[in-house]
Amino acid sequence: MTATRQRANPVTQRLRASSPKSVICQEEAAKVMAVEIVGTVHITSPVYVESVSGSRITDVDGKEYIDLTMGFGPHVLGHRPAAVEKALADQITRGWHWGIHNPLQHRLGEMLVEAAPCGEQVVFCNTGTEATMYAIRAARSFTGKSVVAVFDGSYHGVHDYALLEAERSSDRHSPVPRRRGAGIPSEILETVTMLPYNDEAAFDLIRANADRLAVVLVEPVQSSNPRTDVGPWLRRLGEVCREAGVLLMVDEVITGFRLAYGGGQEYFDVHADLATYGKALGGGMPIGAVAGRADVMSVFNAGNGRARPIFSGGTFSGNPLTMAAGIAALTQMRDTPDLYPRLNALGDRLAEGVNRHARRYGMPVTMMNAGSMFHLRFAEGQIRSSRDITNRYVEAEHIFYQHLQERGVLVPGIHLAFVSAAHTEADVDAVIEAATASLDSLRNDGMI
Ligand SMILES: Cc1ncc(COP(=O)(O)O)c(C=O)c1O
């Protein structure tokens, strides 16, 4: 939908009129920023944050929202949990960046090894993107093979090897990858292959390509279609990779410390060789990490007799502020026994509440969720993978999020949303009420 058409919508106009300071921020940002961090174009009425607390965000116009953004996932415990805030404040008095080693690194490393089912050794970096990039490099070095497989509908960050999507016209059982966006060399396509998600056809493709495949990358739960019915398929994927001599890398950047303390590997009982982390591991500070089998991880180490270790490094990797926040957050997550049952129940309650309403009125929407992460998908019928989601309702989808925002609920422009330990059942019920009323508005306007 064009910006002009969106702006003509009454809800867009009302939101802009009630957010004068955010509108000014957007105009000022457009002058200096080539692109904003998130596609705020998807939230046509701009929102710029002033402060946060628990489950709430307050914007620069003084409006408070129930926040379902949760920093794009890291804030499993909600905004500004006291233990993390204190750890950060204490650390700041000792310094926040040193470059050379600090003891907090191996303390967080030990916690990650304890939590990550496949983790015997770890390497820290600063983002999930770096983590998947390093895992790919490690897998290529360890196996001596060069091709990397990603799944249709996946997301593994913004480096060239991960920015792929399926040609929509290609067969859903043997998707053909294309580069996602400009500026990625076509040669990349010779080093990657794409597999169908949640589809047994992937197993034959892995076997057929075993000689050249170094590693298969999989999110235990894809952001594009969050679900928990993929356990048997994921376990079979692990077996097929093992039999074929191909490494399996589970991308836990979102699911790590969110679905369960041991992430998707624990939740689905899937066995991997490598796993990548980010988001929640840093307690809300920038972080990435690779964890994996000791023999695979040994490729990072120059001191293990290897002629050529892989190159790794990063000015801010393992910085004490991030390490301190991560230790405080993980300690609280690990030591709160009902955290994950409660989080997952909150997510299920939200999805069930919205889906009940949608079913009752025959609306073409499904609130997909895996525990506390969810994504409202506009599509008719069953969604087996991202291939079942078309852009037929894209206009309705954009306007839906504006109705939600007007009713005091904020979902990020990427539309993958989260509840946290700071959300209450009453918050979730308020979100259900806002979401169902917003869907009714779309229906009354003939958009769905
Ligand atoms: C599964 C997955 N992997 C990797 C990334 C990239 O992480 P980052 O944004 O920290 O680079 C993301 C980001 O959302 C993700 O969802």
Side-chain angles (χ1 to χ4, degrees), residues 29-30 32-40:
V32 289
M33 299 185 69
V35 63
E36 286 194 86
I37 310 302
V38 203
T40 38

Side-chain angles (χ1 to χ4, degrees), residues 17-18 30 32 60 112 120 138 164 172-173 186 202 212 243 272 277-278 291 334 351 365-366 386 448:
S18 62
V32 289
V60 290
L112 181 53
E120 293 178 317
L164 300 161
R172 67 182 291 155
H173 302 296
S186 59
R212 54 190 203 113
E243 287 157 15
Y277 293 84
R334 185 193 61 195
V365 296
T366 307
S386 59
I448 54 170

Side-chain angles (χ1 to χ4, degrees), residues 72 126-132 154-158 218-221 223 249 251-255 276-279 287-288 414 416:
F72 299 152
N126 297 296
T127 60
T129 294
E130 273 180 85
T132 61
S154 62
Y155 183 69
H156 299 289
V158 297
V218 71
E219 292 156 274
V221 174
S223 311
M249 188 215 91
D251 187 345
E252 299 264 27
V253 168
I254 288 189
T255 48
T276 46
Y277 293 84
K279 302 207 188 241
I287 196 165
I414 53 172
L416 176 67

Side-chain angles (χ1 to χ4, degrees), residues 112-175:
L112 181 53
V113 163
E114 208 178 278
C118 74
E120 293 178 317
Q121 298 244 286
V122 307
V123 165
F124 286 120
C125 48
N126 297 296
T127 60
T129 294
E130 273 180 85
T132 61
M133 178 194 73
Y134 278 136
I136 289 172
R137 191 177 295 158
R140 285 178 166 152
S141 168
F142 183 76
T143 61
K145 299 186 270 185
S146 62
V147 177
V148 171
V150 297
F151 283 96
D152 189 355
S154 62
Y155 183 69
H156 299 289
V158 297
H159 57 74
D160 286 357
Y161 296 114
L163 276 181
L164 300 161
E165 62 189 358
E167 293 278 4
R168 290 299 286 194
S169 58
S170 63
D171 186 325
R172 67 182 291 155
H173 302 296
S174 53

Side-chain angles (χ1 to χ4, degrees), residues 255-273:
T255 48
F257 305 98
R258 175 166 286 281
L259 266 188
Y261 189 67
Q265 292 162 87
E266 176 187 320
Y267 188 90
F268 294 113
D269 189 26
V270 52
H271 297 275
D273 304 290

Side-chain angles (χ1 to χ4, degrees), residues 19-60:
S19 312
K21 289 187 179 164
S22 278
V23 169
I24 290 171
C25 280
Q26 191 180 46
E27 286 163 4
E28 295 297 317
K31 291 180 195 158
V32 289
M33 299 185 69
V35 63
E36 286 194 86
I37 310 302
V38 203
T40 38
V41 285
H42 292 310
I43 313 174
T44 39
S45 180
V47 185
Y48 288 76
V49 179
E50 179 68 31
S51 64
V52 292
S53 178
S55 62
R56 297 295 197 271
I57 269 188
T58 303
D59 72 11
V60 290

